[in-house]
Amino acid sequence: MKPIQQYTHIFFIGIGGIGMSALARYFNQKELKVMGYDKTKTELTQTLTEEGVEVYYQQKIEENVLKTLPQESTLVVFTPAISSNSILVNYFKANGFDMYKRAFILGEITKNLPTLAVAGTHGKTTTSAILTHILKANQIKLTAFCGGILQNYKTNYIGDGDDVVVIEADEFDRSFLQLHPSAAVITSMDADHLDIYGTSESLTLAFQEFSNLVPKGHLYANSTLDIKAQSIAVNHSADYSIQHIKIENGSYRFDFKSENFNLKDIQFSLPGQHNLFNAAAALCLAIDFKPSYADRFAKALASFEGVQRRFNYVYKSDLLIVIDDYAHHPKEIDAVHQAISEMHPEKKSVVIFQPHLFSRTKDFADEFAKSLAQFDEVNLLDIYPAREEPIEGITSKFLLELIDHPKKQLISKNDIENRIQKASEEVIVLLGAGDIGVEASKISKLLK
């Protein structure tokens, strides 16, 4: 690939994706001509348009538009989720354009910059968002490519400078092996993306390979993982640990300890033990980058407002609480249930879950059934297919039959509003990585 500086135009195939849109914003800020295609108009694509990015929603883009792209100075960026039969993919290939996956471009951008990478099958987005916030709150000039919209800044991209880069190291399609981290954390290595890896052992080997990219002494990991790194734990012994946890007025207070630091009475508002771990992981990377700011980073946790679709309170009153969360893996569902049980123990918990991918539903059917059965009531939407074709026999009805629960049912999106309006003394949580977030947005507007 030629140096990125030689490109004048960037075209994104799948520009509406959360990671792709952050990269589009990066190039747009550099005052390159940025364009792209996505199949669906969303708030995110509309925001890109308002920022000056040209977004198209049909793959058959007018020929005169494509001809404005100079072949020798146009970079085409695409996601692994795009079909090889895509009209746009075939057009750019046939006409000799430079085409690269998003992960490769991120690797090129970060290869000569201090880069803090967050890896793991769960927790990447929240951890990288916390890390971004505590750096930015301390006036560090950073570039951050986040996998969610930070509530503090209403964006998934921060472009203040290049003192340091924050990036999510995505294991899907082995994308994280394209990166060049100066320091990294691995939050979890639970089996996932088995449509890509085949086995959990293959996934673990990929994480081991990623760990080899990190300079010695700068890798941090969950203490439960079998990986050579500095360990992180919540309420357990580790190289870096959160201890003395208290809950006051719906927020945590805790101490953060290591051999070199003993930071006391830290305040943090995101519910759930998993989010305490995410805060610890973010602190490890921030302190790795600038140890003298350790106390300041810890204080900045108090002002972190969260990430959209990560345990967001859509509505909150004495009678009803509605939460929206991206959880789409059994372990993530467990974490959400734990957070609800800890923060709202007096209320009945109701889950509305949209399974994500036929293959994931098939691979983890028993685990999903067990995780969902923890709630007081279970409602299932149809499976969100994303990039996949249906698998015979794998449906939401198939999953529902595996759930050992007296109060369970299949519902449609049209039923969600009615179910919420009937609620009393309940916490209703909308879970899934598909388009259930759109329904949460509708509910938010309805109730407010």
Side-chain angles (χ1 to χ4, degrees), residues 13 39-40 164 180 246 312-313 317 334 438 443:
I13 306 177
K39 64 180 180 180
T40 307
V164 66
H180 307 275
K246 297 180 290 185
N312 286 151
Y313 285 99
S317 74
D334 290 344
V438 176
I443 293 300

Side-chain angles (χ1 to χ4, degrees), residues 340-348:
I340 291 173
S341 301
E342 185 173 61
M343 291 297 176
H344 308 289
E346 76 288 355
K347 285 183 165 52
K348 175 183 172 184

Side-chain angles (χ1 to χ4, degrees), residues 312-316 320-324 420 428 430 443 447:
N312 286 151
Y313 285 99
V314 171
Y315 182 78
K316 202 171 185 181
L320 172 65
I321 293 171
V322 182
I323 296 166
D324 177 32
I420 288 174
I428 298 182
L430 284 69
I443 293 300
L447 295 176

Side-chain angles (χ1 to χ4, degrees), residues 168-226:
E168 289 190 32
D170 188 3
E171 74 280 1
F172 178 75
D173 198 38
R174 295 178 171 84
S175 293
F176 58 178
L177 301 183
Q178 308 276 355
L179 303 177
H180 307 275
S182 309
V185 65
I186 299 176
T187 63
S188 51
M189 297 191 308
D190 294 304
D192 199 4
H193 304 302
L194 298 186
D195 54 324
I196 300 293
Y197 288 97
T199 65
S200 59
E201 290 77 15
S202 180
L203 174 70
T204 300
L205 286 174
F207 274 100
Q208 293 282 359
E209 194 174 345
F210 170 76
S211 73
N212 294 334
L213 302 176
V214 185
K216 187 175 180 180
H218 296 275
L219 179 66
Y220 306 84
N222 192 316
S223 63
T224 63
L225 303 181
D226 183 18

Side-chain angles (χ1 to χ4, degrees), residues 3-4 94 109 127 181 252 364 367 410 428 436 438:
I4 286 180
I109 290 170
T127 302
Y252 290 115
F364 301 105
E367 291 88 343
L410 299 176
I428 298 182
I436 191 170
V438 176

Side-chain angles (χ1 to χ4, degrees), residues 13-70:
I13 306 177
I15 197 169
I18 195 72
M20 289 282 274
S21 61
L23 193 54
R25 283 174 156 152
Y26 169 83
F27 284 115
N28 194 47
Q29 187 186 49
K30 301 291 183 188
E31 298 187 345
L32 279 70
K33 179 65 175 177
V34 180
M35 307 165 67
Y37 155 80
D38 207 274
K39 64 180 180 180
T40 307
K41 182 181 284 190
T42 63
E43 287 185 23
L44 196 48
T45 59
Q46 287 176 292
T47 301
L48 287 174
T49 301
E50 291 165 7
E51 293 172 359
V53 176
E54 292 183 20
V55 182
Y56 299 89
Y57 300 98
Q58 300 289 333
Q59 289 214 42
K60 280 196 170 183
I61 296 172
E62 296 88 342
E63 195 169 327
N64 63 320
V65 172
L66 294 176
K67 283 186 175 178
T68 65
L69 298 172

